Amino acid sequence: MSVVKINVLTVPAEQREVLEKRFASRAHAVENSDGFEWFELLRPVEGTDQYLVYTRWRDEASFQAWMEGPMKAAHQGGGAAEGDRPKPAASGSTLWSFDVVQQAAPKNA
């Protein structure tokens, strides 16, 4: 079964729009990665300042290949000089990892 990676990003209220725009500008960056299955950016509704970045992968190796290739390049500014990179929108980040052991889909889908 698949693996799920959830990046928990602590985002101050004044940086929410910045974070969402950055994700929107890279909306298709992950979609062509081998083993990629799903992505969602989840905005907190109440009681927290943590966004969840949900990705699902065929296996751990697919995720690691993306981390070492496209993701690493995107977060290094795509070759931009150090002074040209924008300040991070998140003030903290934690990665949660899960194996999918059960799943369900709507019966009429």
Side-chain angles (χ1 to χ4, degrees):
M1 283 245 185
S2 303
V3 297
V4 168
K5 301 295 181 172
I6 300 174
N7 194 1
V8 183
L9 301 175
T10 302
V11 182
E14 66 274 7
Q15 291 294 315
R16 284 180 166 202
E17 186 176 344
V18 171
L19 179 88
E20 291 178 22
K21 284 182 179 179
R22 288 183 186 168
F23 270 92
S25 72
R26 299 193 312 242
H28 305 292
V30 71
E31 292 174 7
N32 292 320
S33 297
D34 185 47
F36 169 77
E37 295 178 354
W38 198 259
F39 162 85
E40 291 178 327
L41 176 61
L42 306 176
R43 178 191 305 135
V45 176
E46 59 185 38
T48 186
D49 59 356
Q50 295 180 317
Y51 276 72
L52 301 181
V53 183
Y54 174 99
T55 58
R56 183 173 168 142
W57 300 86
R58 175 181 58 229
D59 52 33
E60 182 67 25
S62 297
F63 172 74
Q64 291 301 326
W66 175 74
M67 286 285 290
E68 289 303 314
M71 192 285 301
K72 191 173 191 178
H75 284 84
Q76 290 180 342
E82 182 70 30
D84 295 339
R85 289 198 320 217
K87 177 184 167 193
S91 62
S93 174
T94 302
L95 183 65
W96 296 342
S97 299
F98 300 89
D99 290 328
V100 176
V101 294
Q102 292 183 18
Q103 62 186 17
K107 290 186 181 213
N108 296 328

